[in-house]
Amino acid sequence: MPGKCRQHHHRKLAIIFFAVAPMVGCNPRQPSSETPKPVPARATSSSHQSALSPLETIRALHEFRNSGRYAEMQDLIVPDYRTEILELILSVDELVAAELKFQNSVREVVGEGTATYFAHRMQVANIVGPFSRDVEAVSETITGNTARVAIQVAGRVPLEEVALTNLEGKWLVQSDKPIPKLADELRNLARTTRSVADDVVRRHLTAKQAQHELDLRQEPVLKRINDLIDDSE
């Protein structure tokens, strides 16, 4: 993912996910459960994608990603690492689903108020820059066949930048190869979260016990993720 060392790997994957709320100087919002705002009609038609500006390309990418139209999303990325990027996105979605299951388990056993305490964990949906769930394209700068689009992810500052290149008259996101094995570790994290969610219900864990179990079981996975990021820099 381009730009300043992948925006320092999207701010070290949002400070390794779960320290994101609250982040100093940030005002993170929860991933939207609403239907994504429609992009102008020409942005959603594959036959007209070549007419999209860089800004419109990012907006279309966001719409396709959130509506599960992955083939169309991949068509807006340079061909090199489309498969690896999709795997990373799917692993993030799996982790988001696991976090939702965990919150529902806490809600069932402990109560709504306590489940809300864990709501910030849903920010895992916003750890992959332009491929995050909550992305707003702000501005574009075009220089010949290259462009940069400033985006805001989940209301955070500073803004991130996405590089695009024009290939055969079509603007495509210029992405680096995702960190090897990162998608696998995100899936491991999802499995761990689902396991704790099951234990919350089976063992009637308190909120404090649930947090302890999460910390205990996720620590080795998070350490491996941190090491993967450090090794790739």
Side-chain angles (χ1 to χ4, degrees):
M1 289 141 206
K4 296 182 181 178
C5 223
R6 303 178 201 174
Q7 300 293 330
H8 194 59
H9 297 298
H10 306 300
R11 223 161 286 125
K12 201 106 174 200
L13 290 186
I15 315 303
I16 309 299
F17 317 139
F18 307 128
V20 295
M23 291 176 64
V24 175
C26 299
N27 182 24
R29 63 174 180 263
Q30 295 306 311
S32 175
S33 60
E34 300 176 356
T35 302
K37 294 181 180 179
V39 176
R42 63 177 182 146
T44 60
S45 171
S46 58
S47 63
H48 292 150
Q49 284 182 7
S50 60
L52 299 181
S53 70
L55 195 72
E56 291 168 334
T57 297
I58 296 301
R59 288 173 177 166
L61 180 87
H62 179 246
E63 182 194 1
F64 295 153
R65 183 261 182 275
N66 280 4
S67 59
R69 295 156 67 182
Y70 296 121
E72 292 167 278
M73 180 200 72
Q74 287 180 295
D75 284 343
L76 296 176
I77 305 170
V78 292
D80 305 46
Y81 305 118
R82 286 175 176 172
T83 300
E84 291 90 339
I85 290 169
L86 179 58
E87 281 302 304
L88 179 61
I89 292 169
L90 292 176
S91 70
V92 169
D93 286 350
E94 185 175 334
L95 182 54
V96 170
E99 288 295 337
L100 184 59
K101 177 178 180 178
F102 171 75
Q103 286 187 48
N104 286 338
S105 294
V106 173
R107 183 175 293 108
E108 176 184 340
V109 174
V110 185
E112 179 66 38
T114 304
T116 301
Y117 170 79
F118 292 102
H120 72 277
R121 297 175 62 89
M122 294 300 288
Q123 281 296 320
V124 296
N126 292 312
I127 62 174
V128 280
F131 308 109
S132 298
R133 291 277 184 91
D134 296 300
V135 174
E136 181 180 355
V138 178
S139 62
E140 65 181 18
T141 303
I142 301 174
T143 306
N145 286 325
T146 62
R148 303 193 81 81
V149 174
I151 63 171
Q152 187 169 39
V153 179
R156 296 195 295 259
V157 291
L159 302 183
E160 298 183 23
E161 281 192 339
V162 185
L164 295 92
T165 187
N166 194 299
L167 294 177
E168 299 179 353
K170 181 178 177 180
W171 288 105
L172 301 178
V173 173
Q174 182 71 53
S175 179
D176 295 334
K177 182 178 181 179
I179 299 170
K181 299 183 180 180
L182 178 57
D184 292 338
E185 293 298 351
L186 292 179
R187 288 193 168 94
N188 286 336
L189 205 62
R191 281 192 286 272
T192 300
T193 304
R194 289 194 299 269
S195 175
V196 175
D198 290 338
D199 280 351
V200 168
V201 175
R202 181 173 59 85
R203 296 165 51 193
H204 286 73
L205 299 181
T206 65
K208 185 175 180 179
Q209 290 170 331
Q211 182 68 67
H212 175 73
E213 289 295 324
L214 278 174
D215 292 344
L216 185 66
R217 299 185 203 180
Q218 290 184 338
E219 182 179 2
V221 186
L222 291 172
K223 183 181 184 304
R224 291 197 299 271
I225 290 173
N226 186 72
D227 289 344
L228 287 175
I229 296 172
D230 285 344
D231 290 345
S232 68
E233 292 176 351

